Every structure is written in C-alpha cells, then in structure tokens.
Amino acid sequence: AQSVAQPEDQVNVAEGNPLTVKCTYSVSGNPYLFWYVQYPNRGLQFLLKYITGDNLVKGSYGFEAEFNKSQTSFHLKKPSALVSDSALYFCAVRDILSGNTGKLIFGQGTTLQVKP
Amino acid sequence: EAGVTQFPSHSVIEKGQTVTLRCDPISGHDNLYWYRRVMGKEIKFLLHFVKESKQDESGMPNNRFLAERTGGTYSTLKVQPAELEDSGVYFCASSQEGWAGQNNEQFFGPGTRLTVL
C-alpha cells in the first residue's frame, strides 16, 4: 500500500536557524511528491512539488525539498527560519495506483514552531 | 483570481441531523476533490470529480455521504444522517483541467469544520 510518513509531530527551531521537516514515502513506481502548509484558520497552501528532474526542488517562501530515491525521502528545508514560518506542514504523494486521478495521500502533518 | 471557497466555515449539528457542505472551485478547474481530516490525523481523500462526473469515490466512508457536482461547477457534500465520527474538517480542492492536471498542484479551500454532537 502507498503511504507517507512524517515522523515528527512537532519541530522546534530558533529563528535564523536552518529547519528540516521530514517526510518519507512508500509507493510503487515513480513518486509524485508535494508539500503543503496550513496556517491557522487557513486552507492548505501549495509549497512545492517533485514530479521529475532535479532532486532539489525550490518552492514558495524560500522553502526547498530534496528528493532522495534511495532513502525514499522528501524532506522540506529552509536555510533560515522565520517566526512567520510557524504552521502545520503536510507532505503528500499522488496515488498512482488509482489510475487517472490526482488523489493525494497525506502524511499526518508536522507542526513547525519557530521561536524568536 | 478567487481561490477555492467553502461554506459554511463551521457547522455544529446533532447526531442524526443532515448537513450539506458546499465547495466552489477555482473557475475553469475541471478537477474537484473532497478530503477530510479527523481528530488531528492525516488528511484523507474522499472523492474526485472531473467536471460533473465522479472519477473516484473510493474514499467515501459509507452511503450516508453523498457528493454532487451538477453542471460541473460547484460541489456539495451531504451527510445524512450525521454520526459522531463524522466530525472533522472537510477540505475541498481543485486543479487544472485534463489528464495533465492530475500532476498539477491542487488548490485547497479553507475547510469546513463539522462538529457532530
């Protein structure tokens, strides 16, 4: 079965420090991977995606993610965290077993807390 | 450009009542998805429309849930009768048209928080 795991419920980091939010996946075939962020009382906002090509993907708000096929990981990173980055982050993979659908399988989410 | 909108933002109902959630996708987006997040767990897929057709409804929990998208524009999700375990946040998302749209990012609405007492 296809799945996504976010092993950390919460990540705490000091402002200005680099941050990493971890994601691992299990899929059959090539993965299509996404990161979304949810700010309080808001919907999910798309950050970035990996479909094919360079393993390092750059996205919105200075975030990037590294696709690692051997480790089946797609960790989200930012070189210097901001307090405003504090939010709930979701990793997702497209369910390619479902055929002609863009159905996403999500991880359980990781709360990022950036302290001043 | 307006984003995905959902109505209502919150709904509190009693067990056994009926609730209808509405989603208005981004104009021109053929693909419309419903997801649900229950009690802080992962977001789970419910169903997928392409225009007015149900492409995949494998995530619908049971026959108390009915989704429609008449005319291929907005969509409704009705829960009848509601049970306690239906409580959660229901998200709607849309993405661009066509087969290629399946790899495009989905744009999410703010969600409807449903509480069943």
Side-chain angles (χ1 to χ4, degrees):
Chain A
Q2 301 183 109
S3 64
V4 174
Q6 293 179 242
E8 302 154 317
D9 289 336
Q10 181 159 328
V11 170
N12 298 308
V13 65
E15 187 174 32
N17 283 1
L19 69 88
T20 298
V21 183
K22 296 180 180 177
C23 172
T24 58
Y25 64 88
S26 175
V27 300
S28 302
N30 295 321
Y32 301 104
L33 296 156
F34 301 81
W35 273 101
Y36 284 86
V37 58
Q38 185 181 20
Y39 297 101
N41 302 313
R42 303 284 296 276
L44 278 73
Q45 294 181 31
F46 169 77
L47 277 179
L48 50 80
K49 66 181 177 183
Y50 173 83
I51 303 298
T52 186
D54 289 341
N55 289 343
L56 186 63
V57 179
K58 294 188 182 297
S60 306
Y61 312 121
F63 283 93
E64 58 189 27
E66 186 171 9
F67 171 65
N68 188 316
K69 189 171 183 178
S70 63
Q71 296 185 5
T72 62
S73 67
F74 190 56
H75 300 332
L76 182 70
K77 299 181 180 183
K78 188 173 182 180
S80 179
L82 300 173
V83 172
S84 57
D85 292 330
S86 298
L88 181 58
Y89 291 80
F90 290 97
C91 181
V93 65
R94 188 189 146 221
D95 183 357
I96 59 176
L97 292 183
S98 296
N100 188 16
T101 175
K103 168 182 168 182
L104 295 175
I105 299 169
F106 283 89
Q108 60 267 48
T110 298
T111 299
L112 173 66
Q113 189 76 28
V114 181
K115 298 187 177 180
Chain B
E1 177 183 275
V4 178
T5 58
Q6 293 186 246
F7 182 83
S9 57
H10 294 82
S11 180
V12 181
I13 61 173
E14 294 194 351
K15 176 182 173 181
Q17 290 186 321
T18 298
V19 63
T20 300
L21 314 181
R22 173 171 170 145
C23 168
D24 286 79
I26 292 173
S27 177
H29 281 190
D30 284 351
N31 294 290
L32 187 149
Y33 303 83
W34 284 98
Y35 294 87
R36 177 174 73 171
R37 187 174 193 227
V38 174
M39 291 195 61
K41 296 186 177 180
E42 68 271 23
I43 299 168
K44 287 195 172 180
F45 168 83
L46 295 178
L47 87 159
H48 170 209
F49 285 98
V50 177
K51 297 184 180 179
E52 67 277 7
S53 298
K54 291 177 185 176
Q55 185 74 17
D56 180 357
E57 51 184 332
S58 62
M60 295 288 264
N62 50 60
N63 59 9
R64 295 186 293 103
F65 289 74
L66 175 64
E68 296 180 324
R69 193 183 181 196
T70 306
T73 54
Y74 71 92
S75 175
T76 58
L77 179 64
K78 180 190 287 188
V79 184
Q80 180 182 27
E83 297 290 344
L84 299 179
E85 63 265 26
D86 301 332
S87 296
V89 180
Y90 289 77
F91 291 103
C92 175
S94 70
S95 68
Q96 289 183 336
E97 64 276 8
W99 163 246
Q102 264 59 310
N103 284 334
N104 287 343
E105 59 269 28
Q106 295 175 22
F107 295 85
F108 281 76
T112 294
R113 183 174 295 277
L114 174 64
T115 302
V116 183
L117 302 176

